[in-house]
Amino acid sequence: MFLEEKTAIVTGASRGIGKAIAVALAREGATVVINDLSQEAAEAAAAEIRANNGRAIAMAADVADSAQVETMVTRVMEECGRIDILVNNAGITRDTLLLRMKEEDWDAVLNVNLKGVFNCTKAVSRFMIKQRSGVIVNIASVVAVMGNIGQANYAAAKAGILGFTKAVARELASRGIRVNAVAPGYIQTDMTEKIPEEIKAKLIESIPLGFIGQPEDVAEAVLFLVSPAARYITGQTLHVNGGMVMV
């Protein structure tokens, strides 16, 4: 349990990839702060972790709102005394073709998926700098490098995360803080459940390993990046996509 006595914040952690990451971090001993828009959803996920002898705290906050993020991070420091890990996972989609995309669809996705990463990273980095230690992992997407029809807003936000990761990794490296990204491919979640079966079949054909990944596949990649085994890795993107895109 290499994360014993560590505190981790995982945004958007009540379900899917975020929940799998929170469960994996708790399994290794971390006290995990489960963030979600809904306090009820966050508490349900935290309760599951506690039922399995893990340590978890539920905290609702809209990552797109800097004031809410500051309040959450202040609470974490008051209750836990330190923040060792931040996983920026919260994300939404508002998919439609560019010519049909409303300005509010663009703004909503950029505000949560990219501005949310900025808000949370800025808020926790002040404390990590004082500690002279910390690890930040940003969840991007395969569409950041390959693009996708109907997801101009989502692809732009996730590509922005890759650039943000590199810039912040350079800024914080001298303070002992590592910043990396994980770019999942097609993962079995509520989001991908909406994809019609015939399109899923075509997607699987485009994946050399021949199957859609599970949230746990992403969680294990995050677990590696926050572990001592990755102590010499920063500013990098780990692609977890079954070979769909090789960069």
Side-chain angles (χ1 to χ4, degrees), residues 56-104:
I57 303 167
M59 289 195 188
D62 180 357
V63 298
D65 184 324
S66 60
Q68 290 189 39
V69 169
E70 290 287 348
T71 298
M72 176 180 69
V73 170
T74 299
R75 276 190 60 199
V76 175
M77 289 299 299
E78 288 172 351
E79 294 188 27
C80 302
R82 60 185 296 115
I83 299 170
D84 302 283
I85 297 165
L86 168 67
V87 182
N88 284 307
N89 168 76
I92 63 170
T93 57
R94 294 288 186 272
D95 295 352
T96 190
L97 296 174
L98 176 65
L99 293 180
R100 297 177 184 170
M101 188 174 291
K102 297 176 182 177
E103 186 175 351
E104 52 263 37

Side-chain angles (χ1 to χ4, degrees), residues 9-224:
I9 299 174
V10 184
T11 67
S14 70
R15 60 180 180 166
I17 290 172
K19 184 177 178 182
I21 292 168
V23 168
L25 295 173
R27 186 184 73 223
E28 292 297 335
T31 297
V32 183
V33 177
I34 307 287
N35 160 262
D36 195 84
L37 265 177
S38 162
Q39 180 68 27
E40 184 179 359
E43 185 54 54
E48 284 187 40
I49 290 174
R50 291 194 292 264
N52 288 291
N53 300 315
R55 292 189 293 273
I57 303 167
M59 289 195 188
D62 180 357
V63 298
D65 184 324
S66 60
Q68 290 189 39
V69 169
E70 290 287 348
T71 298
M72 176 180 69
V73 170
T74 299
R75 276 190 60 199
V76 175
M77 289 299 299
E78 288 172 351
E79 294 188 27
C80 302
R82 60 185 296 115
I83 299 170
D84 302 283
I85 297 165
L86 168 67
V87 182
N88 284 307
N89 168 76
I92 63 170
T93 57
R94 294 288 186 272
D95 295 352
T96 190
L97 296 174
L98 176 65
L99 293 180
R100 297 177 184 170
M101 188 174 291
K102 297 176 182 177
E103 186 175 351
E104 52 263 37
D105 295 330
W106 174 271
D107 289 344
V109 171
L110 270 290
N111 281 341
V112 174
N113 297 16
L114 185 55
K115 185 181 177 184
V117 173
F118 161 76
N119 286 338
C120 293
T121 302
K122 183 179 179 181
V124 305
S125 63
R126 294 200 309 273
F127 299 104
M128 288 182 174
I129 286 170
K130 290 178 183 177
Q131 296 167 184
R132 299 196 69 83
S133 68
V135 185
I136 299 168
V137 181
N138 301 318
I139 305 301
S141 170
V142 67
V143 303
V145 293
M146 65 175 279
N148 198 31
I149 293 170
Q151 288 193 311
N153 48 4
Y154 188 77
K158 293 300 188 177
I161 286 174
L162 300 187
F164 178 86
T165 297
K166 293 175 184 178
V168 177
R170 289 186 181 275
E171 287 188 24
L172 299 181
S174 64
R175 307 301 180 94
I177 302 165
R178 296 188 296 106
V179 187
N180 291 292
V182 172
Y186 286 93
I187 306 296
Q188 195 76 40
T189 65
D190 292 344
M191 198 179 289
T192 56
E193 275 299 306
K194 300 173 185 176
I195 300 173
E197 288 302 318
E198 62 273 17
I199 296 178
K200 276 187 185 178
K202 289 182 179 178
L203 284 173
I204 291 171
E205 288 178 6
S206 70
I207 300 171
L209 286 182
F211 62 91
I212 293 175
Q214 296 297 315
E216 291 73 19
D217 296 316
V218 182
E220 292 300 322
V222 172
L223 205 58
F224 164 67

